[in-house]
Amino acid sequence: MTGNGPQDGLQAGLKNRHLSMIAIGGVIGAGLFVGSSTGIATAGPGILLSYALVGTLVVLVMRMLGEMSAANPASGSFSAHADRALGRWAGFSIGWLYWFFWVVVLAVEATAGAKILEGWIPAVPQWGWALIVMVVLTATNLVSVGSYGEFEFWFAGIKVVAIGAFIVVGLLAVLGVLPGVDDDKASFSNLTGQGGFLPHGPGAVLTGVLLVVFSFMGSEIATLAAGESEDPQRAVTKSTNSIIWRIGVFYLGSILIVVSLLPWNDPSIKEKGSYVAALDSLGIAHAGQIMNVIVLTSVLSCLNSGLYTASRMAFSLGQRGDAPKAFARTTARGVPMAAIVASVLFGFVAVFFNYKFPDSVFLFLVNSSGAVALFVWLVICFSQLRMRKIIQAEAPEKLVVKMWLYPYLTWATAGLIVFVLGYMLTDTEGESSGRTTVLLSLLVAAVVVVVAVVKQKVTGGRMAEAVAEPADKVSVG
């Protein structure tokens, strides 16, 4: 399947424009808009270094994933690669952990969207709005992969246009050439004023990393979606090669504008949120409502992609015998209905826990899935180390995307991820501290790995033979 689209039930329903926008929008999560104010308060203008550090990490991990996915496009992406490179236990474990992560994200995002919608139309209770958005996006995903792609194209398009406009307007204000706005505070001197570039010292940059790392989750969605495009190899190559400018523009560019428009310690950043405060400082009317619309769009985009991603991972696990076989069945339109329904049902259960037990059960779910992003990136590193040798031995012509400075940069990236996990253990403040997140995520991961190892021992070699594939053939899962 180098250029003929997917097999095994899924259909090539995603167009090139869908894939391009999924790749661009995948790196812009709602966390960028709502979470950046905490990072700015913690590290000051130095938060730019935190974003640059995590952005570099994501670029390197995506390069590794791009190498494997361009050579072997699969609906299970890194889980399918881990399956072959590290063993069935690895593919099983990381696949289910990733599915768990996105199912919890569904509940978090549905609640965030419901809060905004309730503010606009209070007649409908918050849980009602959460239910409505989940049902609508479930229906969208059940129709066809093309309808998912179309929704995501417009959701991501709004985010991209909004951030692009924000950067252009903000830059003009900082340069002092924007007419008709109040831009007295706007200046690049804000980067070094108010205590310098690192007002809380270099250590705050690492603390900032912990705050921003999770807003980057979603970069890998394009490699999963590529399995349902007409030319998966081209789609993966394109999204991998473009991730540097995407992170550079949307994350670093927009945050640079925020901390240049206002002093980092301006009280309005914490009160209103960084982007709303920045728009307000320019005297732009209804800045709060404009940003609410953009955040809602990001939330819906994340929900849409989260449901798609969770269902495709469940589909791939079903194909490989690591989930119920029903998950691997598709409708006439190429939609894995059982995988979608199962994912959304767990999403609904998580939403219920969020309303009924927010400080106990739901807090556990959020904390125990929090470090999964870092686990996924670590598994991608180790998979690539092994997979490069397999591809070189079997089909070297498929190495159309190559990891830079292999294997040294791969090992360095893995080391950096382990360092971030270790540093999280030193964060002990609050119920959702870094230590709590890492320990609970490790607990859940350990349980899943034990299940995987036991399952592998019970099934013996039968399953491996069932899914073994010829070296010259590429499958979706």
Side-chain angles (χ1 to χ4, degrees):
M1 185 190 65
T2 52
N4 303 318
Q7 306 161 349
D8 298 330
L10 295 178
Q11 293 183 1
L14 293 175
K15 299 172 183 173
N16 284 334
R17 66 182 177 89
H18 293 154
L19 259 297
S20 297
M21 204 54 86
I22 288 167
I24 294 170
V27 295
I28 311 170
L32 173 63
F33 299 110
V34 295
S36 53
S37 55
T38 309
I40 292 170
T42 301
I47 195 66
L48 283 165
L49 295 180
S50 305
Y51 275 103
L53 193 61
V54 180
T56 302
L57 194 62
V58 172
V59 166
L60 294 173
V61 169
M62 282 300 295
R63 187 75 187 180
M64 295 176 222
L65 183 55
E67 176 182 294
M68 295 185 288
S69 295
N72 185 359
S75 65
S77 188
F78 50 83
S79 171
H81 304 320
D83 197 302
R84 191 166 182 215
L86 304 176
R88 293 194 51 74
W89 68 270
F92 176 100
S93 304
I94 207 64
W96 277 114
L97 283 172
Y98 189 69
W99 178 86
F100 172 58
F101 170 86
W102 279 110
V103 167
V104 175
V105 166
L106 289 182
V108 173
E109 299 293 338
T111 306
K115 281 180 183 171
I116 295 172
L117 289 164
E118 188 190 29
W120 293 342
I121 308 173
V124 179
Q126 202 178 108
W127 66 265
W129 279 120
L131 189 67
I132 290 167
V133 294
M134 290 275 277
V135 168
V136 169
L137 292 174
T138 302
T140 303
N141 274 265
L142 284 172
V143 171
S144 70
V145 69
S147 64
Y148 154 72
E150 200 61 36
F151 263 68
E152 194 53 30
F153 176 81
W154 292 105
F155 286 154
I158 291 170
K159 288 192 289 187
V160 169
V161 169
I163 291 189
F166 175 80
I167 292 171
V168 171
V169 171
L171 187 59
L172 291 175
V174 173
L175 295 174
V177 293
L178 187 66
V181 297
D182 173 21
D183 57 358
D184 295 338
K185 291 181 180 177
S187 167
F188 283 125
S189 64
N190 284 326
L191 295 173
T192 50
Q194 313 297 321
F197 186 68
L198 296 171
H200 295 148
V205 173
L206 287 175
T207 308
V209 164
L210 307 187
L211 295 170
V212 306
V213 67
F214 304 110
S215 65
F216 281 85
M217 194 63 171
S219 312
E220 68 295 321
I221 291 174
T223 62
L224 281 102
E228 290 176 85
S229 67
E230 292 173 353
D231 190 347
Q233 191 180 75
R234 178 175 174 271
V236 168
T237 305
K238 192 175 174 185
S239 70
T240 303
N241 290 337
S242 66
I243 192 158
I244 296 175
W245 73 260
R246 286 186 273 135
I247 287 174
V249 171
F250 297 124
Y251 278 86
L252 290 175
S254 64
I255 293 295
L256 173 63
I257 294 299
V258 169
V259 292
S260 299
L261 285 174
L262 285 167
W264 68 270
N265 55 359
D266 191 300
S268 64
I269 290 179
K270 200 166 187 181
E271 289 166 16
K272 303 174 184 176
S274 49
Y275 287 81
V276 174
L279 290 174
D280 266 346
S281 74
L282 298 177
I284 293 175
H286 310 297
Q289 288 305 323
I290 292 169
M291 196 47 64
N292 270 341
V293 171
I294 296 167
V295 171
L296 180 63
T297 305
S298 294
V299 164
L300 294 176
S301 168
C302 194
L303 265 171
N304 196 35
S305 289
L307 183 51
Y308 171 84
T309 307
S311 64
R312 285 343 184 246
M313 187 57 77
F315 168 83
S316 177
L317 287 165
Q319 268 198 323
R320 288 177 273 142
D322 290 336
K325 281 191 167 59
F327 286 6
R329 295 195 194 109
T330 57
T331 65
R333 292 186 299 274
V335 173
M337 184 180 287
I340 290 174
V341 171
S343 300
V344 86
L345 280 177
F346 274 86
F348 278 128
V349 169
V351 169
F352 169 76
F353 284 144
N354 194 7
Y355 287 104
K356 198 74 177 168
F357 313 106
D359 299 321
S360 53
V361 180
F362 189 70
L363 187 65
F364 170 80
L365 290 177
V366 171
N367 285 337
S368 61
S369 65
V372 167
L374 292 166
F375 296 165
V376 167
W377 295 348
L378 201 55
V379 166
I380 288 171
C381 291
F382 292 128
S383 297
Q384 189 265 338
L385 285 168
R386 174 91 180 95
M387 204 64 171
R388 167 70 77 92
K389 294 174 183 173
I390 294 173
I391 298 167
Q392 282 177 327
E394 295 180 352
E397 72 281 358
K398 290 182 179 176
L399 276 173
V400 291
V401 175
K402 284 188 179 181
M403 176 59 185
W404 308 296
L405 298 176
Y406 168 85
Y408 310 108
L409 207 46
T410 303
W411 278 112
T413 306
L416 185 56
I417 295 167
V418 171
F419 173 77
V420 171
L421 283 166
Y423 191 78
M424 286 177 75
L425 291 172
T426 67
D427 174 28
T428 57
E429 290 182 24
E431 291 179 313
S432 296
S433 67
R435 177 179 291 182
T436 303
T437 299
V438 170
L439 293 178
L440 287 180
S441 296
L442 281 171
L443 174 66
V444 171
V447 170
V448 175
V449 168
V450 167
V451 171
V453 171
V454 170
K455 180 180 180 298
Q456 191 170 340
K457 285 192 182 297
V458 169
T459 55
R462 296 195 308 272
M463 202 65 75
E465 290 167 17
V467 296
E469 54 188 13
D472 61 345
K473 185 180 175 183
V474 185
S475 75
V476 219

